[in-house]
Amino acid sequence: MKGSARRTSDHEQPFRDQERTILAYTKRWLVDLLRRLGYAEAAEDALREMPEEFDLEQLQEFGDRHGISRDTVTDAMGGSP
């Protein structure tokens, strides 16, 4: 959205892709979240498997591989789906 300002949180880093802004999540945020939720093994996998920054699709794929639902992550972030 051209001309609109959107504040990003600590785990989101905006980057430009020609006509749109895409939010990237950070590995540190994911590892911290997984540990807080009690997914220690998944957190270790994230350290090995995930790039330093990744998009929502990559986050969802990681969650699917580890049996962690979007609702679980959304609830932990204090939001709603």
Side-chain angles (χ1 to χ4, degrees), residues 23-41:
L23 295 177
Y25 296 88
T26 64
K27 183 191 301 193
R28 176 83 283 161
W29 166 80
L30 178 59
V31 169
D32 290 345
L33 177 67
L34 292 170
R35 286 180 176 154
R36 187 165 36 104
L37 292 174
Y39 293 104
E41 188 173 324

Side-chain angles (χ1 to χ4, degrees), residues 6 11 15 17 24 37 40 51 54 63-65 68:
R6 182 183 185 279
H11 66 275
F15 62 92
D17 180 4
L37 292 174
F54 51 91
D64 290 346
R65 286 193 310 272
I68 303 168

Side-chain angles (χ1 to χ4, degrees), residues 27 30-31 34 41-54 58-59 61-66:
K27 183 191 301 193
L30 178 59
V31 169
L34 292 170
E41 188 173 324
E44 294 304 313
D45 289 346
L47 281 172
R48 286 190 302 275
E49 298 172 13
M50 297 300 283
E52 288 302 318
E53 292 185 348
F54 51 91
Q58 291 169 296
L59 175 60
E61 289 170 359
F62 180 86
D64 290 346
R65 286 193 310 272
H66 291 83

